[in-house]
Amino acid sequence: MTGRIHRRPRSSPGRPHPQNWRQRIGEARQTLSNIPAAFRLVWQADRKHTTVMAMITLVAAGLPLAQAYVAQQIVDKVVAVVQQGLDPLTGLEQTLPWLLSEFGLITAGAVFMQLRSLSEHILNARLSNLINVTIMRKALLLDLHYFEDAQYYDKLQNARRETNWRAMAMVNTVFSAIQHILTLISFTTSLLWFSPLIALILFGATIPAFLAQTHFSRLRFRLLTWHAPEFRHMQYLEYLLTVDTAAKEVKLFGLGEPLIARHQVQFQRFFYEDATLARKRSLISMWWGIVASAGYYAAYGWLIWQTGAGVITIGAMTFYLTIFQRSQSVVQTLFSNLAQLYEGGLFLNNLFDFLALEPRISDGRNLPVPRPIRQGIEFRNVSFRYPDRAEWALRDINLHIAPGEKIALVGANGAGKTTLIKLLTRLYDPTEGQILLDGIDLRDYNLHELRQRIGVIFQDFVRYQATARENIGFGQIEEVANEARVRAAAERGGADEIVRRLANGYDTMLGRWFENGAELSGGQWQKIALGRAFMRDSEVLVLDEPTAALDAEQEYEIFQRFRDLTAGRIAVLISHRFSTVRMADRIVVLDNGRIIETGTHQELVAANRMYARLFHLQAAGYR
């Protein structure tokens, strides 16, 4: 787990790097085109404070020139008082209006700064929330295959990384850039009138620094984007080392330090490249900063010479010196703004790339789901393989499930049982063939309504860190406040006795993540999940290993009531326990994605094929 950290090559397949100036200009154009999109996001987050920031930007842009002019007047008035030998009180009276003007300008600047800071704070909070909600809603729309694809998580990682503050930073930077551009226009007008050569020296000396910053911004963005898998791996290791579900094994197997060592290997790999890039950026920036300072002091010396020669007054020298200082600062800030805009635009590309993902599952003709189901469900020549995989998960499946029929799916792990359920619930669509509900393809029904009509408990059900009421009520979220319905679902799933023993009943927090939470055993959690499945008013009930965590007595209790619990419904049951599946009307045996047997328990045992062999193997274990 330890060893030498090898530096990642600068380029690798699948990581395009613009090599010529045309490609770079194209990349810059595309990146900066995200500025309007960033403004739309901020405007959507909070229109009022966006408007306030825009108004402050326009007003604040004129303050520096006004302050420089007032400073010139104050100095010239003081010099005149000294040269004319006027009474100090008279001199103060002549200078006082300009002093008050400068005080007013400085006060206005301070007020504007605080108003802008307040608006920025509120906007940042609302924009962060908007982007997070937008990402979550996009994830809700995406099909299950995205969540089973590592590249999706890389895209999600990149979309989330720094996007919240980058979008706000881009808007702040644009406002800042507009303010500095307007200020620079006023300064430039004065400097060009005074000396075009000095204006060229002051402004030109800052251009190389801007180009260097832009170059390194692009390199840092690529570094962060390329390392998305490593960042996800680090987050996963952090999760393992800090979450309750993994704590027992981590401690008992002594995984702590080895996992931390793996975490550090990933960190060091990124840190080496990042630190190298940061050193180069600092060195180049320092060098061009010295060049810019040299230009400023050359202009400064020339200004002193002009004042000494009597070409301009001391007040004028103060005015131009202030403009010199402010101009270079404004230009440097403006170029820095542009570099930040470029870097922020690169990160927003990640967000917009993620939001551009499109689901493959659609509503088709958007037909209403029939109630009640009259003809049943039919798999007709259904074959399926997962995206980006060559092998078939299901092949040539033909199966009819009559209304109210209870069927069990049996087969080894990987035989295709859960995949068949994913197709039935339209988490995926068949690659070939059709699944019909009352003679109509599932793809033609309203997707939300179809899923509302199917109650499901998967083997890897979620243990929500929420109240017992919510853990059950989430099965029909619209009815989570319906006390009678929640209690009835808990009773049908066998969870009512568990909840009655909890300190606060249905209002008890389950899990240990939050204060006063109660942890349950695996079997207790499974009964809660069963209650969640029964919460839904559905005509199709899917139970994937519903008793896997229950002991023999609890399992017997559940299945003594199995027919009552599923009365009037189609029930699809997946289980490895033959004591469970024999209660079904019909048993379907799958092997390597194909149906190889179907019949009742007695029929399949009599056939003496795969089902009979598995049944006898399991029965032998109890002798």
Side-chain angles (χ1 to χ4, degrees):
M1 296 183 200
T2 59
R4 179 176 296 177
I5 306 300
H6 297 285
R7 184 176 181 182
R8 182 188 295 267
R10 284 187 174 272
S11 61
S12 59
R15 293 175 175 178
H17 189 151
Q19 297 296 327
N20 57 54
W21 65 270
R22 288 190 179 89
Q23 290 176 313
R24 292 182 178 179
I25 290 176
E27 181 189 66
R29 186 185 298 113
Q30 178 185 358
T31 300
L32 294 178
S33 68
N34 286 329
I35 294 175
F39 265 95
R40 285 193 294 271
L41 283 173
V42 174
W43 180 254
Q44 184 180 350
D46 191 320
R47 297 185 177 185
K48 182 177 76 173
H49 286 93
T50 304
T51 303
V52 169
M53 288 189 67
M55 294 176 63
I56 291 174
T57 296
L58 295 176
V59 175
L63 288 178
L65 184 64
Q67 290 172 350
Y69 177 74
V70 169
Q72 174 188 348
Q73 296 301 316
I74 291 173
V75 170
D76 281 341
K77 291 295 182 183
V78 171
V79 170
V81 167
V82 172
Q83 289 178 345
Q84 296 173 18
L86 299 178
D87 179 75
L89 183 60
T90 302
L92 181 61
E93 290 176 352
Q94 293 182 5
T95 310
L96 185 60
W98 296 105
L99 287 174
L100 293 175
S101 297
E102 186 172 67
F103 174 75
L105 291 172
I106 292 175
T107 302
V111 170
F112 289 152
M113 182 182 298
Q114 291 304 316
L115 287 175
R116 180 168 181 164
S117 177
L118 174 61
S119 295
E120 180 181 337
H121 179 84
I122 294 173
L123 268 175
N124 189 53
R126 292 191 172 177
L127 178 63
S128 176
N129 179 65
L130 174 66
I131 290 176
N132 284 334
V133 170
T134 301
I135 289 175
M136 288 187 289
R137 286 202 169 119
K138 169 55 73 171
L140 286 176
L141 292 174
L142 296 177
D143 308 327
L144 184 62
H145 82 87
Y146 283 106
F147 296 87
E148 297 176 344
D149 180 1
Q151 291 185 1
Y152 163 81
Y153 291 101
D154 290 342
K155 286 180 178 290
L156 179 61
Q157 170 81 13
N158 287 329
R160 281 178 165 171
R161 183 193 297 119
E162 303 187 10
T163 298
N164 293 342
W165 74 266
R166 290 281 182 181
M168 188 63 223
M170 283 189 74
V171 173
N172 284 335
T173 302
V174 169
F175 281 132
S176 175
I178 292 172
Q179 178 178 330
H180 285 105
I181 287 172
L182 295 175
T183 300
L184 190 61
I185 290 174
S186 63
F187 284 175
T188 302
T189 302
S190 300
L191 286 176
L192 288 175
W193 178 83
F194 179 59
S195 173
L197 180 60
I198 292 298
L200 180 62
I201 292 174
L202 286 172
F203 298 151
T206 59
I207 292 176
F210 162 67
L211 296 177
Q213 289 293 327
T214 302
H215 172 70
F216 283 106
S217 293
R218 184 174 64 251
L219 293 181
R220 175 163 173 77
F221 164 75
R222 289 201 176 87
L223 177 64
L224 291 174
T225 300
W226 293 350
H227 278 287
E230 286 91 336
F231 283 127
R232 285 200 300 110
H233 193 193
M234 288 170 63
Q235 289 175 346
Y236 174 68
L237 293 173
E238 292 165 11
Y239 173 81
L240 280 182
L241 290 164
T242 56
V243 75
D244 58 342
T245 53
K248 294 189 292 294
E249 287 201 9
V250 168
K251 292 181 181 298
L252 292 175
F253 294 160
L255 301 178
E257 287 302 324
L259 291 180
I260 290 176
R262 289 190 177 191
H263 181 280
Q264 289 302 292
V265 167
Q266 300 287 3
F267 169 76
Q268 291 294 340
R269 181 177 291 116
F270 166 75
F271 175 76
Y272 176 84
E273 296 184 55
D274 185 55
T276 300
L277 186 62
R279 283 193 291 269
K280 290 181 179 179
R281 186 173 193 166
S282 296
L283 183 63
I284 295 297
S285 296
M286 179 181 67
W287 167 249
W288 288 117
I290 293 173
V291 172
S293 296
Y296 164 74
Y297 280 100
Y300 195 172
W302 186 81
L303 184 63
I304 294 173
W305 178 74
Q306 288 288 90
T307 304
V311 177
I312 57 175
T313 65
I314 295 177
M317 184 192 76
T318 304
F319 173 73
Y320 286 115
L321 180 59
T322 301
I323 288 182
F324 284 1
Q325 293 172 331
R326 293 285 187 90
S327 291
Q328 192 167 53
S329 174
V330 166
V331 172
Q332 288 176 343
T333 304
L334 181 58
F335 283 155
S336 176
N337 289 159
L338 293 176
Q340 290 171 14
L341 281 175
Y342 180 78
E343 187 171 340
L346 290 171
F347 281 93
L348 283 186
N349 276 337
N350 287 331
L351 172 64
F352 297 133
D353 286 347
F354 177 79
L355 297 180
L357 295 175
E358 290 295 335
R360 300 179 185 178
I361 305 293
S362 63
D363 284 330
R365 291 191 288 162
N366 204 27
L367 298 177
V369 179
R371 180 186 288 270
I373 296 173
R374 299 188 182 278
Q375 300 176 35
I377 299 169
E378 180 186 359
F379 287 74
R380 183 180 294 175
N381 302 320
V382 169
S383 295
F384 175 77
R385 59 184 169 198
Y386 287 96
D388 304 321
R389 294 189 193 175
E391 68 277 8
W392 291 93
L394 291 174
R395 196 66 174 151
D396 298 324
I397 300 296
N398 287 279
L399 175 66
H400 181 262
I401 309 172
E405 185 179 14
K406 325 303 176 193
I407 73 163
L409 303 179
V410 174
N413 290 333
K417 303 183 299 296
T418 300
T419 299
L420 190 146
I421 297 305
K422 289 178 181 178
L423 296 181
L424 176 60
T425 53
R426 282 208 74 199
L427 294 175
Y428 287 98
D429 282 333
T431 307
E432 296 176 0
Q434 293 177 294
I435 304 174
L436 307 175
L437 174 61
D438 277 4
I440 297 176
D441 196 309
L442 287 186
R443 287 170 283 207
D444 288 329
Y445 289 114
N446 177 278
L447 181 60
H448 176 72
E449 187 181 349
L450 176 68
R451 289 176 177 168
Q452 283 286 321
R453 303 290 294 280
I454 302 176
V456 183
I457 171 177
F458 285 106
Q459 183 176 359
D460 54 347
F461 60 85
V462 179
R463 303 181 182 193
Y464 294 101
Q465 303 289 314
T467 65
R469 181 191 317 280
E470 291 167 328
N471 262 280
I472 296 170
F474 282 172
Q476 190 73 41
I477 187 64
E478 300 85 354
E479 299 291 333
V480 71
N482 188 330
E483 184 80 13
R485 186 160 174 174
V486 171
R487 289 179 180 273
E491 183 178 355
R492 298 175 76 184
D496 52 328
E497 292 184 6
I498 297 168
V499 177
R500 278 199 297 269
R501 292 196 296 267
L502 296 175
N504 297 310
Y506 285 91
D507 294 320
T508 304
M509 181 70 68
L510 300 186
R512 293 293 191 186
W513 286 22
F514 303 105
E515 190 175 1
N516 298 323
E519 187 55 87
L520 305 180
S521 68
Q524 289 173 324
W525 272 114
Q526 191 144 31
K527 286 188 175 184
I528 293 288
L530 277 168
R532 186 157 63 240
F534 286 118
M535 183 73 187
R536 178 153 291 189
D537 181 18
S538 58
E539 291 188 66
V540 180
L541 185 62
V542 177
L543 303 174
D544 185 356
E545 293 288 354
T547 61
L550 301 181
D551 58 34
E553 184 177 355
Q554 292 173 328
E555 180 190 28
Y556 178 79
E557 172 196 338
I558 288 290
F559 282 101
Q560 280 298 304
R561 300 187 295 151
F562 177 75
R563 290 199 172 275
D564 291 336
L565 294 173
T566 59
R569 306 184 189 196
I570 290 174
V572 180
L573 173 66
I574 298 176
S575 181
H576 287 94
R577 295 186 181 182
F578 288 90
S579 58
T580 299
V581 301
R582 66 191 302 171
M583 299 181 185
D585 298 324
R586 190 157 47 111
I587 300 169
V588 177
V589 184
L590 290 97
D591 185 39
N592 292 322
R594 296 177 182 269
I595 295 177
I596 60 171
E597 292 184 81
T598 181
T600 65
H601 172 75
Q602 291 78 11
E603 290 170 346
L604 294 177
V605 170
N608 199 29
R609 297 175 61 195
M610 180 177 180
Y611 178 87
R613 181 174 60 83
L614 294 175
F615 172 72
H616 290 308
L617 283 173
Q618 190 173 106
Y622 290 97
R623 297 192 186 111

